[in-house]
Amino acid sequence: IRPSPCGGGAPTFLFHFYGLILRECACADLVRRHLAGLLELSHQSSGQREGIAVAVGIVSSTHMQEVWAALEHVGRTRFLRTVFTSSDSQDNILKTSFLSATIMLLKALRQNSTPSYKFSQIPELIQCLLRVLQKEPNFLATLFREKIILVIVGLSNLRPSLKPMVKSQILHTCLQSLYTLPPTETLRSSLPPLDVAPDVTALYRKSMQALDLLLQSLISENKSVDELCFILQHMEPWLRSDSSHERQRAVQTIFLFLKYVVDYVGLTEEATPSMLGHQIGLLMLLWRDKEPVTQSHAHQCVYLLLQLLTQQKGELGFMYLNKTENFEANARRETETKFYDLVKVLDGNLTMAQHTQLVLTLLRGLCSHNHLRCDLASQLLLMIVEDHSIKVAEILQGLFQELPSIIFKNTLQTVMQAVSVLGTQHAQETVEVILSLCHPSERQVIPLWKALASNTQLARKVLTLLYMKLRLRPPKELVRFTQQAELISLLALGTIYELLYTQEYKATVRWAFAGVLVGLLTQLHYLFELDVVDGISDYQEDVLDGKPLSPCRTCLEALKGLFWTTNYWEVFAYLKLLRGWELFEHMETYTEGVTLLSRAMAHYDCEVKAVLGQAVISLKSSEERDNIVAILIIAEFLNSHELTQYMSRRTVDNFLSLGLNNPNQLVRAMSLKGLSSALRHPEKVMLLRNRLAGLLDGFVGPEPKDVMGLMEILGDILHRLGTQGVGATSLRIAQHLLQLFDDEQADVRGGAILLYGDVLYSGGKKYQQALKNHAFQALVPLLFHLADSCPNVVMKTKLTFLRCAILLKWEFRKELFGKLAWGRGLSAENDVFIYTVESNLGNYHQFLMQALTYLSSPDRNLKQAAMKFIGGCWPLVLCSAHRAHPAPTTQNLEILKQDPDSMSRRFYSSFLEDIWELSQYVTH
């Protein structure tokens, strides 16, 4: 018997009767065949659909498995397949039939199933329902959404319990279907043309209520904090949505859900999932949402979560939530002060892991394109860091990841303030973590270091910690090659190098100068011990290839940068122009480099007191490299009169005597040399001065013997006397040396020029002005010897010329050094000339007289230099000089007329007419 598809009352009776017969049938195959035929009937009329549903429901009371399989088959084949091809009306008919049958089946299951019975087809049937839900149009005209969700709620209550994957699919699909609907105020306008307009407000309300029931059902089946977090996790995309109505719907759903849990669900376990901190963070980021309703619900949600936590701990509950009706009022009265109060409550109720997840969530909120959200995230982060025990490593690592994506300046400033607070509270751990983030040369980490320089004390602590890390130097035998890049001392070294050029650390570096200097010197020695010298000599100052420097080169560049960035550029220049920095590139000349550097520091009184104190400490160290550096510094500082201001002779004797017992031969030798210095034996000063006066007679003879040896001895005596000076004898030495500037032998003139620079500073304060006058006489010869044919002479001339400028206190002496050290070509020559002329206004005549004498020089380079000098400034210099002494000017130039050198003759021809015109002008 098969019911007729005719209308009227008969079909209802026939469907009922048909269901009863199949229910009593003992043959399962026969039941399956008839069920298939029954479900293939037409579903056009509501009576037909109701009859089919009644028959299926009656059969299911006895043949549950068969009914379930038939419905699943039809749902996957006929109904869902025709959704893609049928008209809207046909689509609705099929969905209605499927829903009716599923509802009847659900009723039968609830009435007849036993507690032990399991319905394994639940996930498949839910999948069918979800596919129907996914195809719902993006407007509300029917109750399909509500009915589907409610059926899923009913199915989820049956056994077996749904697996997390199925629940996740349910939540994702239901939220997607409801939250993406147009905003509530535009739901009606989004409807297509209909015969009868539905009440969209009621439809929306019922659909959202169904969603609330779904969440309540899920938490009731598994009353745990883990399940709570699992459900909230699916809300995250909507809490971060750019659409305000989607955020509003999500946070309202969460509020109602949490309120239900607080009021009616007793969570069965005291779990502490870290994810809860993340979800609290997402809700906190909505506290300044542009929609007031979203703000209010976001506040309430956080309070409810905190109340759940306190309930789990058996406490009375969160103070803001004693009465549910006070939620709204409290939320609206929220101020920055209450933000801080809430942060304190979080501290007392969240675990360390939850705190960390909360902060990481706020960090990710810093990168939002919403200015208000970014600002809120940064302020909350600052509050949390100020008042909480958190995992420093995870916070800094998370911030480092987000740092490049922060787009708002004020947000970045607040974040850096938080880093500063973190550094103040956990200085050592903060420094260690930042060191581990990336290689210092990559510079992405520099903003974090800058943040730690927000106040003087913190900056000093940071640099002190870096210095301590620099000194963590395991012996070579304990260091494998693959570990060199991971040595903490190398990371500290690279960081110190970068901070030298960071404006925020300028004053701190100056404060720590002595410690950093000794640390870098001993670090370079340590790197030589490790034999990691590759790349130290390949460095080119004028090549910016962006490649990281080798460890040795980094150390050397940091050493150079220490003097340059602290404005002790004279010391830097002294070594640069003597190629002294190159001495540090080889272990064989390393000690010479330290000696030369110390000599320059003593000469320019560069942090002598502080460095001396650091050297004394290093001399007591058990490390050999520390002793070597210390004794080399002390030995040179013995020639500085400032030494006795900072340390008594007896104290110096004690430390030098200590060095005599050092196992290192060099330390013993240098200590012995120091004990024999003029500082410890004042009677030697007069003996050395007398010896110096006698040696000067060697310059007087017509053919001085061994001038180089003589100058070497003179230089050694000057060095031993140090700043105690040689008095008037210095003027005699300077005059003798000036006469050797143009000697035929390059070694002689180079030696004389170099020694001349030392003599200028050897007369003491009494003869300083006289030596300045003498230095002025040497300017033009030195200027021309910058073009000397011997490169070694040029190098020594550059240093002495600069020392003259420093002694005479030229205004642009640092710029002059830059041109002498790195300038090339005609442009650099012109700049040096300009610095010379502008620093000596009114002295053109004397310069010209000296320059004219070089026009007859046998050295072609010097003659050309003289012509360039005269030609470069003749409108000014010649006019001034010719007015007073016209005859010598013309007479010197006449020499060039007969010069065999064509360049000299051209120079004469070019300027003869101009000289004549100037002469006539001055005469009249």
Side-chain angles (χ1 to χ4, degrees):
I1 300 173
R2 176 172 295 188
S4 169
C6 61
T12 304
F13 166 74
L14 292 177
F15 280 118
H16 189 87
F17 186 59
Y18 192 71
L20 292 173
I21 295 173
L22 289 179
R23 185 184 66 178
E24 302 302 326
C25 180
C27 179
D29 290 337
L30 184 61
V31 171
R32 278 193 291 269
R33 287 199 304 272
H34 282 283
L35 277 174
L38 179 65
L39 292 172
E40 288 296 329
L41 294 177
S42 173
H43 295 254
Q44 292 291 337
S45 68
S46 59
Q48 190 90 351
R49 292 194 299 272
E50 183 180 351
I52 295 173
V54 169
V56 170
I58 294 172
V59 177
S60 65
S61 62
T62 305
H63 303 284
M64 180 60 67
Q65 297 293 344
E66 288 75 11
V67 170
W68 200 282
L71 284 174
E72 180 188 353
H73 175 73
V74 174
R76 286 201 311 265
T77 56
R78 182 182 176 190
F79 294 153
L80 296 182
R81 184 173 60 247
T82 54
V83 168
F84 299 95
T85 59
S86 62
S87 63
D88 289 343
S89 61
Q90 181 69 15
D91 185 14
N92 288 336
I93 291 170
L94 292 171
K95 288 190 292 186
T96 302
S97 294
F98 182 62
L99 274 175
S100 298
T102 307
I103 291 170
M104 293 294 292
L105 177 62
L106 181 59
K107 289 180 179 178
L109 288 172
R110 285 175 172 172
Q111 292 173 0
N112 301 295
S113 61
T114 60
S116 62
Y117 190 84
K118 293 184 179 181
F119 308 101
S120 58
Q121 293 89 352
I122 291 177
E124 288 79 3
L125 187 55
I126 288 177
Q127 290 294 337
C128 296
L129 292 167
L130 293 178
R131 291 184 63 183
V132 174
L133 188 59
Q134 287 172 340
K135 294 304 174 181
E136 279 293 283
N138 197 35
F139 57 82
L140 276 176
T142 68
L143 287 173
F144 279 140
R145 281 184 172 85
E146 179 202 12
K147 290 183 177 181
I148 291 173
I149 295 175
L150 290 176
V151 171
I152 292 175
V153 171
L155 292 173
S156 66
N157 292 326
L158 300 176
R159 297 192 65 203
S161 299
L162 299 180
K163 293 183 179 179
M165 182 179 294
V166 177
K167 289 192 286 189
S168 183
Q169 292 172 340
I170 293 171
L171 289 168
H172 173 76
T173 306
C174 293
L175 296 176
Q176 178 81 23
S177 179
L178 291 175
Y179 289 171
T180 56
L181 287 170
T184 310
E185 59 272 16
T186 63
L187 277 174
R188 183 175 297 278
S189 60
S190 63
L191 288 173
L194 297 172
D195 295 336
V196 179
D199 184 353
V200 292
T201 303
L203 292 177
Y204 174 76
R205 184 179 65 254
K206 290 180 178 180
S207 298
M208 295 302 292
Q209 288 174 348
L211 176 63
D212 295 337
L213 288 173
L214 172 64
L215 302 184
Q216 294 171 14
S217 174
L218 293 177
I219 194 66
S220 298
E221 289 295 315
N222 183 4
K223 301 177 182 180
S224 68
V225 180
D226 287 328
E227 184 72 7
L228 179 77
C229 291
F230 172 81
I231 294 172
L232 294 180
Q233 183 178 353
H234 292 82
M235 305 288 185
E236 292 182 18
W238 310 105
L239 293 176
R240 290 196 294 258
S241 173
D242 293 330
S243 300
S244 61
H245 71 280
E246 292 179 355
R247 296 195 302 272
Q248 183 175 331
R249 287 168 179 169
V251 76
Q252 183 178 21
T253 301
I254 295 175
F255 165 64
L256 294 173
F257 170 62
L258 293 177
K259 190 172 182 299
Y260 171 80
V261 175
V262 169
D263 292 341
Y264 302 108
V265 180
L267 299 181
T268 57
E269 55 178 298
E270 189 177 338
T272 55
S274 61
M275 183 58 64
L276 188 61
H278 167 64
Q279 289 155 351
I280 290 176
L282 288 176
L283 291 165
M284 292 172 74
L285 289 174
L286 296 176
W287 283 0
R288 286 185 185 165
D289 194 271
K290 65 180 183 180
E291 294 294 337
V293 174
T294 303
Q295 288 186 29
S296 175
H297 283 147
H299 279 88
Q300 296 164 18
C301 287
V302 174
Y303 298 152
L304 287 166
L305 284 171
L306 287 173
Q307 188 171 18
L308 283 173
L309 291 175
T310 56
Q311 284 178 353
Q312 274 200 306
K313 295 178 180 179
E315 300 173 7
L316 295 178
F318 185 46
M319 59 181 176
Y320 291 114
L321 299 179
N322 290 331
K323 294 183 179 181
T324 304
E325 56 268 23
N326 290 334
F327 286 1
E328 190 75 20
N330 284 325
R332 291 183 177 177
R333 289 199 304 268
E334 198 64 53
T335 62
E336 296 301 318
T337 302
K338 288 195 174 183
F339 276 11
Y340 189 76
D341 291 339
L342 180 58
V343 166
K344 287 187 174 181
V345 175
L346 288 170
D347 183 41
N349 290 278
L350 296 184
T351 65
M352 178 73 77
Q354 289 169 341
H355 259 303
T356 302
Q357 287 300 317
L358 169 61
V359 175
L360 292 178
T361 303
L362 296 178
L363 287 173
R364 286 188 284 271
L366 299 171
C367 307
S368 171
H369 291 275
N370 183 311
H371 194 182
L372 289 175
R373 185 176 298 183
C374 290
D375 187 52
L376 174 62
S378 62
Q379 291 185 18
L380 289 172
L381 182 66
L382 178 58
M383 291 178 185
I384 289 174
V385 170
E386 284 177 338
D387 200 49
H388 294 74
S389 301
I390 54 179
K391 294 183 179 178
V392 176
E394 292 186 11
I395 302 308
L396 287 174
Q397 288 165 0
L399 176 58
F400 183 66
Q401 296 291 329
E402 307 298 336
L403 205 56
S405 303
I406 299 176
I407 59 178
F408 298 110
K409 185 177 181 181
N410 63 328
T411 299
L412 186 60
Q413 290 173 343
T414 306
V415 169
M416 292 300 107
Q417 188 179 349
V419 174
S420 174
V421 172
L422 200 62
T424 303
Q425 295 176 344
H426 312 278
Q428 181 166 338
E429 189 177 359
T430 299
V431 168
E432 291 173 353
V433 173
I434 298 179
L435 281 176
S436 69
L437 291 176
C438 71
H439 193 276
S441 64
E442 296 178 19
R443 297 189 59 79
Q444 295 98 317
V445 78
I446 288 297
L448 299 181
W449 291 117
K450 288 183 178 180
L452 296 180
S454 58
N455 65 74
T456 302
Q457 292 303 318
L458 179 56
R460 290 182 175 185
K461 187 179 293 186
V462 167
L463 207 57
T464 301
L465 287 168
L466 288 173
Y467 173 75
M468 294 169 62
K469 301 295 183 186
L470 185 68
R471 297 186 62 84
L472 296 177
R473 302 163 179 154
K476 181 179 180 179
E477 55 270 16
L478 299 181
V479 179
R480 296 194 301 271
F481 178 78
T482 55
Q483 290 180 326
Q484 289 173 6
E486 301 174 4
L487 286 177
I488 190 68
S489 66
L490 297 188
L491 294 175
L493 169 64
T495 302
I496 291 173
Y497 173 56
E498 296 296 337
L499 296 187
L500 290 177
Y501 297 93
T502 303
Q503 181 64 29
E504 289 78 359
Y505 282 90
K506 186 174 182 179
T508 308
V509 170
R510 188 69 175 259
W511 169 80
F513 183 94
V516 174
L517 171 65
V518 174
L520 292 174
L521 287 172
T522 51
Q523 179 73 4
L524 186 57
H525 195 287
Y526 173 66
L527 294 174
F528 280 128
E529 295 171 20
L530 293 183
D531 197 25
V532 289
V533 296
D534 292 343
I536 190 171
S537 300
D538 300 336
Y539 180 73
Q540 294 179 318
E541 291 179 330
D542 55 351
V543 176
L544 300 176
D545 55 8
K547 296 180 180 178
L549 300 177
S550 66
C552 268
R553 193 73 230 182
T554 299
C555 192
L556 180 51
E557 290 305 306
L559 187 62
K560 293 160 64 176
L562 177 63
F563 290 91
W564 186 259
T565 59
T566 53
N567 208 32
Y568 290 118
W569 65 270
E570 296 95 342
V571 177
F572 177 93
Y574 189 94
L575 268 74
K576 173 66 179 178
L577 296 178
L578 279 181
R579 302 181 67 178
W581 294 118
E582 297 177 14
L583 297 173
F584 288 98
E585 295 180 359
H586 307 281
M587 187 62 173
E588 296 76 17
T589 55
Y590 169 83
T591 55
E592 295 178 48
V594 177
T595 297
L596 187 62
L597 178 61
S598 303
R599 182 174 302 178
M601 292 176 63
H603 178 72
Y604 290 107
D605 191 21
C606 172
E607 300 284 349
V608 171
K609 179 180 179 180
V611 174
L612 180 64
Q614 194 67 42
V616 168
I617 295 173
S618 296
L619 193 61
K620 299 177 182 178
S621 169
S622 60
E623 295 288 348
E624 185 180 81
R625 69 181 79 89
D626 293 348
N627 303 154
I628 292 173
V629 169
I631 196 61
L632 291 173
I633 291 174
I634 293 173
E636 281 303 316
F637 281 7
L638 287 172
N639 300 311
S640 170
H641 76 279
E642 285 84 2
L643 184 72
T644 54
Q645 299 177 15
Y646 312 134
M647 189 177 295
S648 67
R649 288 187 174 90
R650 177 176 296 180
T651 304
V652 173
D653 289 350
N654 292 337
F655 287 119
L656 292 174
S657 300
L658 178 65
L660 292 176
N661 299 319
N662 195 283
N664 182 271
Q665 182 178 357
L666 175 63
V667 176
R668 295 197 302 272
M670 293 302 297
S671 299
L672 186 62
K673 183 179 178 181
L675 287 169
S676 63
S677 67
L679 178 68
R680 292 190 65 259
H681 303 281
E683 67 277 7
K684 283 188 176 182
V685 175
M686 188 56 65
L687 292 174
L688 289 173
R689 286 177 177 173
N690 294 336
R691 176 61 177 159
L692 194 62
L695 288 172
L696 290 181
D697 296 335
F699 286 112
V700 179
E703 294 184 4
K705 296 181 180 179
D706 192 16
V707 177
M708 289 299 298
L710 179 60
M711 289 191 294
E712 184 178 352
I713 295 173
L714 287 174
D716 184 62
I717 292 176
L718 289 177
H719 178 58
R720 288 177 179 273
L721 287 172
T723 53
Q724 299 179 67
V726 296
T729 309
S730 59
L731 292 170
R732 292 178 56 198
I733 301 174
Q735 190 59 42
H736 287 309
L737 293 174
L738 185 60
Q739 296 171 2
L740 296 175
F741 279 13
D742 300 322
D743 194 272
E744 294 181 357
Q745 298 183 41
D747 289 345
V748 173
R749 62 179 184 269
I753 289 172
L754 183 62
L755 183 58
Y756 184 82
D758 290 331
V759 172
L760 291 179
Y761 292 86
S762 65
K765 292 183 178 180
K766 183 177 180 180
Y767 294 93
Q768 188 178 58
Q769 185 57 48
L771 288 169
K772 284 184 178 180
N773 296 336
H774 205 282
F776 176 79
Q777 299 175 24
L779 286 176
V780 170
L782 289 171
L783 182 66
F784 293 168
H785 277 286
L786 292 175
D788 197 280
S789 57
C790 177
N792 192 39
V793 174
V794 173
M795 179 188 71
K796 294 175 180 178
T797 302
K798 287 181 177 181
L799 177 61
T800 300
F801 188 76
L802 179 64
R803 297 182 78 178
C804 287
I806 293 174
L807 182 67
L808 296 172
K809 297 183 178 179
W810 287 7
E811 182 178 357
F812 302 105
R813 49 192 182 272
K814 188 174 183 180
E815 291 79 3
L816 172 64
F817 162 66
K819 294 300 177 182
L820 293 173
W822 298 291
R824 299 289 184 274
L826 185 60
S827 175
E829 292 177 8
N830 290 338
D831 288 338
V832 172
F833 160 73
I834 292 172
Y835 294 144
T836 303
V837 172
E838 289 188 356
S839 300
N840 295 276
L841 297 175
N843 297 305
Y844 306 133
H845 168 253
Q846 296 180 49
F847 284 167
L848 178 62
M849 292 299 100
Q850 289 179 295
L852 289 172
T853 62
Y854 277 89
L855 293 177
S856 58
S857 172
D859 189 309
R860 189 169 185 270
N861 286 4
L862 296 181
K863 185 189 299 183
Q864 290 179 2
M867 288 188 289
K868 286 182 180 179
F869 181 81
I870 296 170
C873 62
W874 71 269
L876 179 62
V877 179
L878 281 182
C879 182
S880 174
H882 198 82
R883 180 178 296 144
H885 302 280
T889 303
T890 307
Q891 181 180 355
N892 279 276
L893 288 172
E894 287 289 339
I895 298 174
L896 299 179
K897 184 177 180 180
Q898 307 299 327
D899 198 301
D901 184 31
S902 60
M903 179 179 293
S904 299
R905 295 195 300 273
R906 285 197 303 271
F907 177 82
Y908 173 79
S909 300
S910 298
F911 290 96
L912 184 60
E913 183 178 350
D914 295 326
I915 293 171
W916 174 255
E917 291 179 1
L918 282 171
S919 177
Q920 294 299 313
Y921 173 76
V922 172
T923 302
H924 296 290

